[in-house]
PDB file of all heavy atoms in Angstrom:
ATOM      1  N   SER A 142      74.829  30.697 -18.238  1.00 64.00           N
ATOM      2  CA  SER A 142      75.679  29.676 -18.845  1.00 64.00           C
ATOM      3  C   SER A 142      75.846  29.855 -20.345  1.00 64.00           C
ATOM      4  O   SER A 142      76.343  28.949 -21.024  1.00 64.00           O
ATOM      5  CB  SER A 142      75.071  28.280 -18.566  1.00 64.00           C
ATOM      6  OG  SER A 142      74.861  28.081 -17.197  1.00 64.00           O
ATOM      7  N   ARG A 143      75.455  31.007 -20.895  1.00 62.00           N
ATOM      8  CA  ARG A 143      75.473  31.186 -22.332  1.00 62.00           C
ATOM      9  C   ARG A 143      76.874  31.073 -22.930  1.00 62.00           C
ATOM     10  O   ARG A 143      77.057  30.655 -24.054  1.00 62.00           O
ATOM     11  CB  ARG A 143      74.891  32.557 -22.700  1.00 62.00           C
ATOM     12  CG  ARG A 143      73.392  32.676 -22.481  1.00 62.00           C
ATOM     13  CD  ARG A 143      72.594  31.802 -23.450  1.00 62.00           C
ATOM     14  NE  ARG A 143      72.820  32.206 -24.827  1.00 62.00           N
ATOM     15  CZ  ARG A 143      73.245  31.409 -25.782  1.00 62.00           C
ATOM     16  NH1 ARG A 143      73.523  30.142 -25.524  1.00 62.00           N
ATOM     17  NH2 ARG A 143      73.419  31.859 -27.005  1.00 62.00           N
ATOM     18  N   LYS A 144      77.917  31.442 -22.183  1.00 64.00           N
ATOM     19  CA  LYS A 144      79.284  31.449 -22.736  1.00 64.00           C
ATOM     20  C   LYS A 144      79.991  30.107 -22.558  1.00 64.00           C
ATOM     21  O   LYS A 144      81.105  29.942 -23.016  1.00 64.00           O
ATOM     22  CB  LYS A 144      80.091  32.574 -22.082  1.00 64.00           C
ATOM     23  CG  LYS A 144      79.553  33.972 -22.391  1.00 64.00           C
ATOM     24  CD  LYS A 144      80.398  35.053 -21.746  1.00 64.00           C
ATOM     25  CE  LYS A 144      79.855  36.429 -22.074  1.00 64.00           C
ATOM     26  NZ  LYS A 144      80.670  37.517 -21.456  1.00 64.00           N
ATOM     27  N   ASN A 145      79.379  29.189 -21.852  1.00 74.00           N
ATOM     28  CA  ASN A 145      79.974  27.880 -21.619  1.00 74.00           C
ATOM     29  C   ASN A 145      79.044  26.834 -22.214  1.00 74.00           C
ATOM     30  O   ASN A 145      77.999  26.514 -21.655  1.00 74.00           O
ATOM     31  CB  ASN A 145      80.155  27.655 -20.109  1.00 74.00           C
ATOM     32  CG  ASN A 145      80.930  26.378 -19.809  1.00 74.00           C
ATOM     33  OD1 ASN A 145      80.760  25.369 -20.481  1.00 74.00           O
ATOM     34  ND2 ASN A 145      81.760  26.443 -18.777  1.00 74.00           N
ATOM     35  N   GLU A 146      79.436  26.304 -23.400  1.00 76.00           N
ATOM     36  CA  GLU A 146      78.536  25.405 -24.118  1.00 76.00           C
ATOM     37  C   GLU A 146      78.250  24.131 -23.335  1.00 76.00           C
ATOM     38  O   GLU A 146      77.137  23.616 -23.342  1.00 76.00           O
ATOM     39  CB  GLU A 146      79.141  25.060 -25.481  1.00 76.00           C
ATOM     40  CG  GLU A 146      79.190  26.249 -26.437  1.00 76.00           C
ATOM     41  CD  GLU A 146      79.671  25.832 -27.813  1.00 76.00           C
ATOM     42  OE1 GLU A 146      79.840  24.609 -28.029  1.00 76.00           O
ATOM     43  OE2 GLU A 146      79.847  26.712 -28.671  1.00 76.00           O
ATOM     44  N   ALA A 147      79.257  23.604 -22.628  1.00 79.00           N
ATOM     45  CA  ALA A 147      79.053  22.370 -21.871  1.00 79.00           C
ATOM     46  C   ALA A 147      78.065  22.588 -20.731  1.00 79.00           C
ATOM     47  O   ALA A 147      77.160  21.775 -20.499  1.00 79.00           O
ATOM     48  CB  ALA A 147      80.391  21.867 -21.327  1.00 79.00           C
ATOM     49  N   GLU A 148      78.229  23.709 -20.040  1.00 80.00           N
ATOM     50  CA  GLU A 148      77.327  24.015 -18.932  1.00 80.00           C
ATOM     51  C   GLU A 148      75.923  24.302 -19.439  1.00 80.00           C
ATOM     52  O   GLU A 148      74.933  23.884 -18.845  1.00 80.00           O
ATOM     53  CB  GLU A 148      77.864  25.217 -18.145  1.00 80.00           C
ATOM     54  CG  GLU A 148      77.047  25.543 -16.899  1.00 80.00           C
ATOM     55  CD  GLU A 148      77.635  26.706 -16.125  1.00 80.00           C
ATOM     56  OE1 GLU A 148      78.791  27.094 -16.421  1.00 80.00           O
ATOM     57  OE2 GLU A 148      76.936  27.221 -15.240  1.00 80.00           O
ATOM     58  N   LEU A 149      75.836  25.010 -20.589  1.00 79.00           N
ATOM     59  CA  LEU A 149      74.537  25.299 -21.182  1.00 79.00           C
ATOM     60  C   LEU A 149      73.827  24.008 -21.570  1.00 79.00           C
ATOM     61  O   LEU A 149      72.630  23.838 -21.304  1.00 79.00           O
ATOM     62  CB  LEU A 149      74.716  26.193 -22.404  1.00 79.00           C
ATOM     63  CG  LEU A 149      73.443  26.484 -23.213  1.00 79.00           C
ATOM     64  CD1 LEU A 149      72.429  27.228 -22.356  1.00 79.00           C
ATOM     65  CD2 LEU A 149      73.786  27.270 -24.471  1.00 79.00           C
ATOM     66  N   SER A 150      74.548  23.094 -22.174  1.00 78.00           N
ATOM     67  CA  SER A 150      73.952  21.829 -22.586  1.00 78.00           C
ATOM     68  C   SER A 150      73.450  21.038 -21.385  1.00 78.00           C
ATOM     69  O   SER A 150      72.379  20.434 -21.425  1.00 78.00           O
ATOM     70  CB  SER A 150      74.986  21.010 -23.366  1.00 78.00           C
ATOM     71  OG  SER A 150      74.450  19.759 -23.744  1.00 78.00           O
ATOM     72  N   ALA A 151      74.228  21.071 -20.289  1.00 80.00           N
ATOM     73  CA  ALA A 151      73.830  20.349 -19.084  1.00 80.00           C
ATOM     74  C   ALA A 151      72.563  20.947 -18.481  1.00 80.00           C
ATOM     75  O   ALA A 151      71.656  20.229 -18.050  1.00 80.00           O
ATOM     76  CB  ALA A 151      74.964  20.361 -18.068  1.00 80.00           C
ATOM     77  N   LYS A 152      72.494  22.280 -18.466  1.00 81.00           N
ATOM     78  CA  LYS A 152      71.324  22.926 -17.888  1.00 81.00           C
ATOM     79  C   LYS A 152      70.081  22.674 -18.733  1.00 81.00           C
ATOM     80  O   LYS A 152      68.976  22.474 -18.204  1.00 81.00           O
ATOM     81  CB  LYS A 152      71.567  24.428 -17.747  1.00 81.00           C
ATOM     82  CG  LYS A 152      72.443  24.787 -16.548  1.00 81.00           C
ATOM     83  CD  LYS A 152      72.355  26.257 -16.242  1.00 81.00           C
ATOM     84  CE  LYS A 152      73.049  26.584 -14.925  1.00 81.00           C
ATOM     85  NZ  LYS A 152      72.888  27.999 -14.546  1.00 81.00           N
ATOM     86  N   ILE A 153      70.232  22.710 -20.057  1.00 80.00           N
ATOM     87  CA  ILE A 153      69.084  22.428 -20.919  1.00 80.00           C
ATOM     88  C   ILE A 153      68.625  20.995 -20.713  1.00 80.00           C
ATOM     89  O   ILE A 153      67.431  20.695 -20.735  1.00 80.00           O
ATOM     90  CB  ILE A 153      69.453  22.698 -22.396  1.00 80.00           C
ATOM     91  CG1 ILE A 153      69.633  24.203 -22.629  1.00 80.00           C
ATOM     92  CG2 ILE A 153      68.382  22.150 -23.330  1.00 80.00           C
ATOM     93  CD1 ILE A 153      70.031  24.568 -24.034  1.00 80.00           C
ATOM     94  N   GLY A 154      69.587  20.089 -20.485  1.00 78.00           N
ATOM     95  CA  GLY A 154      69.235  18.703 -20.220  1.00 78.00           C
ATOM     96  C   GLY A 154      68.445  18.540 -18.926  1.00 78.00           C
ATOM     97  O   GLY A 154      67.558  17.683 -18.820  1.00 78.00           O
ATOM     98  N   GLN A 155      68.739  19.362 -17.927  1.00 81.00           N
ATOM     99  CA  GLN A 155      68.040  19.283 -16.642  1.00 81.00           C
ATOM    100  C   GLN A 155      66.687  19.985 -16.672  1.00 81.00           C
ATOM    101  O   GLN A 155      65.812  19.694 -15.847  1.00 81.00           O
ATOM    102  CB  GLN A 155      68.893  19.922 -15.545  1.00 81.00           C
ATOM    103  CG  GLN A 155      70.179  19.185 -15.235  1.00 81.00           C
ATOM    104  CD  GLN A 155      70.988  19.896 -14.164  1.00 81.00           C
ATOM    105  OE1 GLN A 155      70.548  20.893 -13.606  1.00 81.00           O
ATOM    106  NE2 GLN A 155      72.160  19.381 -13.876  1.00 81.00           N
ATOM    107  N   LEU A 156      66.514  20.887 -17.632  1.00 82.00           N
ATOM    108  CA  LEU A 156      65.353  21.764 -17.609  1.00 82.00           C
ATOM    109  C   LEU A 156      64.036  20.993 -17.638  1.00 82.00           C
ATOM    110  O   LEU A 156      63.086  21.332 -16.921  1.00 82.00           O
ATOM    111  CB  LEU A 156      65.425  22.731 -18.798  1.00 82.00           C
ATOM    112  CG  LEU A 156      64.354  23.824 -18.851  1.00 82.00           C
ATOM    113  CD1 LEU A 156      64.383  24.647 -17.570  1.00 82.00           C
ATOM    114  CD2 LEU A 156      64.573  24.714 -20.061  1.00 82.00           C
ATOM    115  N   ARG A 157      63.968  19.958 -18.444  1.00 77.00           N
ATOM    116  CA  ARG A 157      62.721  19.195 -18.545  1.00 77.00           C
ATOM    117  C   ARG A 157      62.322  18.620 -17.194  1.00 77.00           C
ATOM    118  O   ARG A 157      61.154  18.633 -16.809  1.00 77.00           O
ATOM    119  CB  ARG A 157      62.872  18.082 -19.581  1.00 77.00           C
ATOM    120  CG  ARG A 157      61.620  17.243 -19.766  1.00 77.00           C
ATOM    121  CD  ARG A 157      61.808  16.199 -20.859  1.00 77.00           C
ATOM    122  NE  ARG A 157      60.633  15.378 -21.027  1.00 77.00           N
ATOM    123  CZ  ARG A 157      59.583  15.696 -21.746  1.00 77.00           C
ATOM    124  NH1 ARG A 157      59.547  16.859 -22.369  1.00 77.00           N
ATOM    125  NH2 ARG A 157      58.558  14.887 -21.853  1.00 77.00           N
ATOM    126  N   TYR A 158      63.293  18.137 -16.445  1.00 78.00           N
ATOM    127  CA  TYR A 158      63.007  17.529 -15.151  1.00 78.00           C
ATOM    128  C   TYR A 158      62.648  18.594 -14.105  1.00 78.00           C
ATOM    129  O   TYR A 158      61.800  18.374 -13.235  1.00 78.00           O
ATOM    130  CB  TYR A 158      64.213  16.713 -14.689  1.00 78.00           C
ATOM    131  CG  TYR A 158      64.577  15.617 -15.657  1.00 78.00           C
ATOM    132  CD1 TYR A 158      65.551  15.824 -16.630  1.00 78.00           C
ATOM    133  CD2 TYR A 158      63.930  14.392 -15.624  1.00 78.00           C
ATOM    134  CE1 TYR A 158      65.880  14.828 -17.536  1.00 78.00           C
ATOM    135  CE2 TYR A 158      64.245  13.387 -16.517  1.00 78.00           C
ATOM    136  CZ  TYR A 158      65.219  13.608 -17.480  1.00 78.00           C
ATOM    137  OH  TYR A 158      65.538  12.628 -18.372  1.00 78.00           O
ATOM    138  N   LEU A 159      63.290  19.741 -14.204  1.00 84.00           N
ATOM    139  CA  LEU A 159      62.983  20.815 -13.264  1.00 84.00           C
ATOM    140  C   LEU A 159      61.555  21.318 -13.442  1.00 84.00           C
ATOM    141  O   LEU A 159      60.879  21.678 -12.480  1.00 84.00           O
ATOM    142  CB  LEU A 159      63.979  21.968 -13.437  1.00 84.00           C
ATOM    143  CG  LEU A 159      65.433  21.667 -13.050  1.00 84.00           C
ATOM    144  CD1 LEU A 159      66.325  22.853 -13.355  1.00 84.00           C
ATOM    145  CD2 LEU A 159      65.525  21.306 -11.579  1.00 84.00           C
ATOM    146  N   LEU A 160      61.089  21.330 -14.706  1.00 83.00           N
ATOM    147  CA  LEU A 160      59.737  21.803 -14.957  1.00 83.00           C
ATOM    148  C   LEU A 160      58.682  20.840 -14.445  1.00 83.00           C
ATOM    149  O   LEU A 160      57.536  21.237 -14.221  1.00 83.00           O
ATOM    150  CB  LEU A 160      59.530  22.046 -16.453  1.00 83.00           C
ATOM    151  CG  LEU A 160      60.082  23.371 -16.984  1.00 83.00           C
ATOM    152  CD1 LEU A 160      59.577  23.626 -18.377  1.00 83.00           C
ATOM    153  CD2 LEU A 160      59.708  24.534 -16.090  1.00 83.00           C
ATOM    154  N   ILE A 161      59.052  19.584 -14.245  1.00 80.00           N
ATOM    155  CA  ILE A 161      58.109  18.644 -13.643  1.00 80.00           C
ATOM    156  C   ILE A 161      57.769  19.100 -12.232  1.00 80.00           C
ATOM    157  O   ILE A 161      56.643  18.953 -11.764  1.00 80.00           O
ATOM    158  CB  ILE A 161      58.694  17.218 -13.636  1.00 80.00           C
ATOM    159  CG1 ILE A 161      58.832  16.705 -15.073  1.00 80.00           C
ATOM    160  CG2 ILE A 161      57.834  16.274 -12.817  1.00 80.00           C
ATOM    161  CD1 ILE A 161      59.510  15.361 -15.173  1.00 80.00           C
ATOM    162  N   GLN A 162      58.731  19.693 -11.562  1.00 81.00           N
ATOM    163  CA  GLN A 162      58.489  20.206 -10.219  1.00 81.00           C
ATOM    164  C   GLN A 162      57.905  21.618 -10.258  1.00 81.00           C
ATOM    165  O   GLN A 162      57.013  21.949  -9.480  1.00 81.00           O
ATOM    166  CB  GLN A 162      59.792  20.215  -9.409  1.00 81.00           C
ATOM    167  CG  GLN A 162      59.602  20.596  -7.951  1.00 81.00           C
ATOM    168  CD  GLN A 162      60.866  20.443  -7.142  1.00 81.00           C
ATOM    169  OE1 GLN A 162      61.900  20.042  -7.670  1.00 81.00           O
ATOM    170  NE2 GLN A 162      60.783  20.754  -5.875  1.00 81.00           N
ATOM    171  N   ALA A 163      58.390  22.449 -11.159  1.00 84.00           N
ATOM    172  CA  ALA A 163      57.912  23.830 -11.229  1.00 84.00           C
ATOM    173  C   ALA A 163      56.506  23.917 -11.790  1.00 84.00           C
ATOM    174  O   ALA A 163      55.719  24.777 -11.385  1.00 84.00           O
ATOM    175  CB  ALA A 163      58.860  24.664 -12.092  1.00 84.00           C
ATOM    176  N   CYS A 164      56.180  23.037 -12.727  1.00 84.00           N
ATOM    177  CA  CYS A 164      54.876  23.098 -13.394  1.00 84.00           C
ATOM    178  C   CYS A 164      54.412  21.676 -13.693  1.00 84.00           C
ATOM    179  O   CYS A 164      54.393  21.240 -14.844  1.00 84.00           O
ATOM    180  CB  CYS A 164      55.012  23.923 -14.681  1.00 84.00           C
ATOM    181  SG  CYS A 164      53.477  24.293 -15.519  1.00 84.00           S
ATOM    182  N   PRO A 165      54.039  20.906 -12.659  1.00 81.00           N
ATOM    183  CA  PRO A 165      53.783  19.473 -12.858  1.00 81.00           C
ATOM    184  C   PRO A 165      52.549  19.159 -13.692  1.00 81.00           C
ATOM    185  O   PRO A 165      52.554  18.217 -14.460  1.00 81.00           O
ATOM    186  CB  PRO A 165      53.633  18.949 -11.428  1.00 81.00           C
ATOM    187  CG  PRO A 165      53.225  20.135 -10.619  1.00 81.00           C
ATOM    188  CD  PRO A 165      53.909  21.313 -11.250  1.00 81.00           C
ATOM    189  N   LEU A 166      51.469  19.953 -13.554  1.00 81.00           N
ATOM    190  CA  LEU A 166      50.215  19.613 -14.219  1.00 81.00           C
ATOM    191  C   LEU A 166      49.711  20.714 -15.144  1.00 81.00           C
ATOM    192  O   LEU A 166      48.553  20.731 -15.522  1.00 81.00           O
ATOM    193  CB  LEU A 166      49.136  19.307 -13.168  1.00 81.00           C
ATOM    194  CG  LEU A 166      49.438  18.126 -12.243  1.00 81.00           C
ATOM    195  CD1 LEU A 166      48.361  17.996 -11.193  1.00 81.00           C
ATOM    196  CD2 LEU A 166      49.562  16.837 -13.041  1.00 81.00           C
ATOM    197  N   GLY A 167      50.600  21.658 -15.513  1.00 84.00           N
ATOM    198  CA  GLY A 167      50.210  22.704 -16.451  1.00 84.00           C
ATOM    199  C   GLY A 167      50.043  24.071 -15.837  1.00 84.00           C
ATOM    200  O   GLY A 167      49.943  25.064 -16.559  1.00 84.00           O
ATOM    201  N   THR A 168      49.990  24.157 -14.509  1.00 84.00           N
ATOM    202  CA  THR A 168      49.897  25.446 -13.834  1.00 84.00           C
ATOM    203  C   THR A 168      51.204  25.712 -13.095  1.00 84.00           C
ATOM    204  O   THR A 168      51.601  24.902 -12.256  1.00 84.00           O
ATOM    205  CB  THR A 168      48.739  25.460 -12.823  1.00 84.00           C
ATOM    206  OG1 THR A 168      47.517  25.217 -13.515  1.00 84.00           O
ATOM    207  CG2 THR A 168      48.659  26.797 -12.109  1.00 84.00           C
ATOM    208  N   PRO A 169      51.905  26.809 -13.394  1.00 85.00           N
ATOM    209  CA  PRO A 169      53.174  27.086 -12.720  1.00 85.00           C
ATOM    210  C   PRO A 169      52.983  27.218 -11.207  1.00 85.00           C
ATOM    211  O   PRO A 169      52.175  28.012 -10.739  1.00 85.00           O
ATOM    212  CB  PRO A 169      53.622  28.421 -13.333  1.00 85.00           C
ATOM    213  CG  PRO A 169      52.919  28.494 -14.648  1.00 85.00           C
ATOM    214  CD  PRO A 169      51.603  27.825 -14.426  1.00 85.00           C
ATOM    215  N   LEU A 170      53.737  26.403 -10.467  1.00 84.00           N
ATOM    216  CA  LEU A 170      53.703  26.474  -9.005  1.00 84.00           C
ATOM    217  C   LEU A 170      54.892  27.236  -8.448  1.00 84.00           C
ATOM    218  O   LEU A 170      54.813  27.820  -7.371  1.00 84.00           O
ATOM    219  CB  LEU A 170      53.688  25.060  -8.407  1.00 84.00           C
ATOM    220  CG  LEU A 170      52.538  24.146  -8.860  1.00 84.00           C
ATOM    221  CD1 LEU A 170      52.679  22.785  -8.207  1.00 84.00           C
ATOM    222  CD2 LEU A 170      51.195  24.765  -8.525  1.00 84.00           C
ATOM    223  N   ASN A 171      55.993  27.221  -9.178  1.00 82.00           N
ATOM    224  CA  ASN A 171      57.207  27.920  -8.749  1.00 82.00           C
ATOM    225  C   ASN A 171      57.951  28.357 -10.007  1.00 82.00           C
ATOM    226  O   ASN A 171      58.442  27.526 -10.765  1.00 82.00           O
ATOM    227  CB  ASN A 171      58.091  27.014  -7.895  1.00 82.00           C
ATOM    228  CG  ASN A 171      59.281  27.747  -7.296  1.00 82.00           C
ATOM    229  OD1 ASN A 171      59.564  28.897  -7.644  1.00 82.00           O
ATOM    230  ND2 ASN A 171      59.992  27.092  -6.398  1.00 82.00           N
ATOM    231  N   THR A 172      57.997  29.655 -10.246  1.00 84.00           N
ATOM    232  CA  THR A 172      58.654  30.160 -11.452  1.00 84.00           C
ATOM    233  C   THR A 172      60.126  30.480 -11.240  1.00 84.00           C
ATOM    234  O   THR A 172      60.800  30.888 -12.168  1.00 84.00           O
ATOM    235  CB  THR A 172      57.931  31.425 -11.951  1.00 84.00           C
ATOM    236  OG1 THR A 172      57.936  32.414 -10.911  1.00 84.00           O
ATOM    237  CG2 THR A 172      56.491  31.107 -12.327  1.00 84.00           C
ATOM    238  N   ASN A 173      60.609  30.288 -10.029  1.00 84.00           N
ATOM    239  CA  ASN A 173      62.030  30.489  -9.743  1.00 84.00           C
ATOM    240  C   ASN A 173      62.768  29.175 -10.019  1.00 84.00           C
ATOM    241  O   ASN A 173      63.042  28.390  -9.112  1.00 84.00           O
ATOM    242  CB  ASN A 173      62.225  30.942  -8.300  1.00 84.00           C
ATOM    243  CG  ASN A 173      63.669  31.337  -8.003  1.00 84.00           C
ATOM    244  OD1 ASN A 173      64.542  31.236  -8.871  1.00 84.00           O
ATOM    245  ND2 ASN A 173      63.924  31.778  -6.795  1.00 84.00           N
TER     246      ASN A 173
END
Side-chain angles (χ1 to χ4, degrees):
S142 306
R143 290 292 298 124
K144 296 181 180 180
N145 187 322
E146 292 185 6
E148 185 178 347
L149 175 62
S150 178
K152 282 195 171 184
I153 291 178
Q155 294 179 4
L156 186 57
R157 181 177 179 83
Y158 301 95
L159 293 176
L160 280 192
I161 293 175
Q162 186 173 0
C164 188
L166 299 176
T168 300
L170 303 179
N171 187 351
T172 58
N173 187 358

